[in-house]
Amino acid sequence: MSQPASRVRLPIGVQTFNEIRQQNLNYAHQTHFACQRFRQGKHYFLSRPRRFGKNLFVSTLKVLFEGRHDLFHGLAADDQGDWSVRRVVVWVAEYDKPITENLDAPDLTRANRNCLRGVYAIIKECDQHIRFSFLTGVSKFSKVSLFSSLNNRNDLTLDACHSSLCGYSWGGDERVYNPYDVLLLFDQRDFPAWWFETGTPQFSLTEILVRRGVPAPSLDGLHATDELLSAFDIGSISTPALLFHTGNLTIRHSELKDGQRHYRLGYPNREVRASLNRHLLAALAPPPPEHDTQANDARQAAVHSLSDHLRAARFDQLQRSLSAFFASIPHDWHRNNQLDRYEGYYASVFYALLNGCGLDARPEQASSQGNLDLAVLTRRRIVLFEFKTVPGRQGSGRALRQLKAKRYADQHLGSGKPVHLVGVEFSRETRNLARVQWETVGTAEAGSADASAAATPT
């Protein structure tokens, strides 16, 4: 009887190149990048999010320059010159950690920045003795901010020829892949939010987004330029730079226009889309206090049932789950915040809620008649949403009327799937649903749920 094949040995948690080679662990090596950079230049910089193998790449450079030829047999560096030559090299992994770990403490961050600025100035002063230097971290601080002295570095962060360096890729049909995610998938045969749980920054990214009033639906498709992606400095970190350098958005499209590079950013994969929106939802619509287990259980039950109701087109039950969810937001939070006064707030909560459930919710779908608020695409149906706020407790039906008048469904009629129109109206008075109306295009199927009796948050 044949024996089952032994499992491939994976370098989970291993961050040194020599350990990978000596233990014969499986690894997609990138020594060709190291050799290419050594032959062509001197000072290099690379920014990548956490958990993308930056420390491992720096370790590869280290043993390469130490002349450890035994570790490179059969690899791209095997026949690269005289291995006995010794050179002065500088490599710095996580060059920015004293700064990025303390963004919530500006005074400490500035002190750390000034200290690091002096350290990097020494590299410039010793330039004639240095054959090669490589700095890497999770952020890309401006040359003026941190590298005013070391301003001759070659930045590979957005270099298209090195987009796949450290497991990071974009352009065309390519998407970001994360080595840490893939290793754990192979090892445990499961694919939860491995990267997001360990690769997100220490500071509260979602609280920053809420404080800035960034609408959740605007994140997927965010516009950026080279200047915006480089605007990463204490007190002036642009939203595109913050999301890009933390790995929560990646480049979906790049275009050179009028002498300037323009980027369209988007979620790299479903894991990040769902995880970021779940965290954002907790900041936009916080749960009840921990001691109120009954309210928290009701909220979780409402959230867990949403995707099932929507996929099955049970819109009456969807309305009840949504009412229960909005009723779970503590009254004190509403009293201390002004966000719920704006129509965009409810659209952001709704968007974060659906994407956090793993649904494919797409904002601002453009048509010849205007922009639809939200489209949800499932395997069996397409659901189009329009949101409105009303001053009192009663809905007016304006949301559904606009969906029909603007003929938003027309562009989906050739999909072969049923198309549902759902108008959702929120009451500023109850801070909950006022009315949900729905209609299936091309059939007599329609319905309405007057939610004016929904509970006011307590």
Side-chain angles (χ1 to χ4, degrees), residues 9 69 71 77 93 148-149 164 202 226 276-277 282:
R9 298 187 65 203
H69 192 191
L71 298 175
S148 56
S149 298
S164 61
Q202 296 294 320
D226 282 326
L276 178 60
N277 276 284

Side-chain angles (χ1 to χ4, degrees), residues 8-19:
V8 171
R9 298 187 65 203
L10 303 172
I12 298 174
V14 179
Q15 299 188 57
T16 57
F17 182 76
N18 56 320
E19 188 176 353

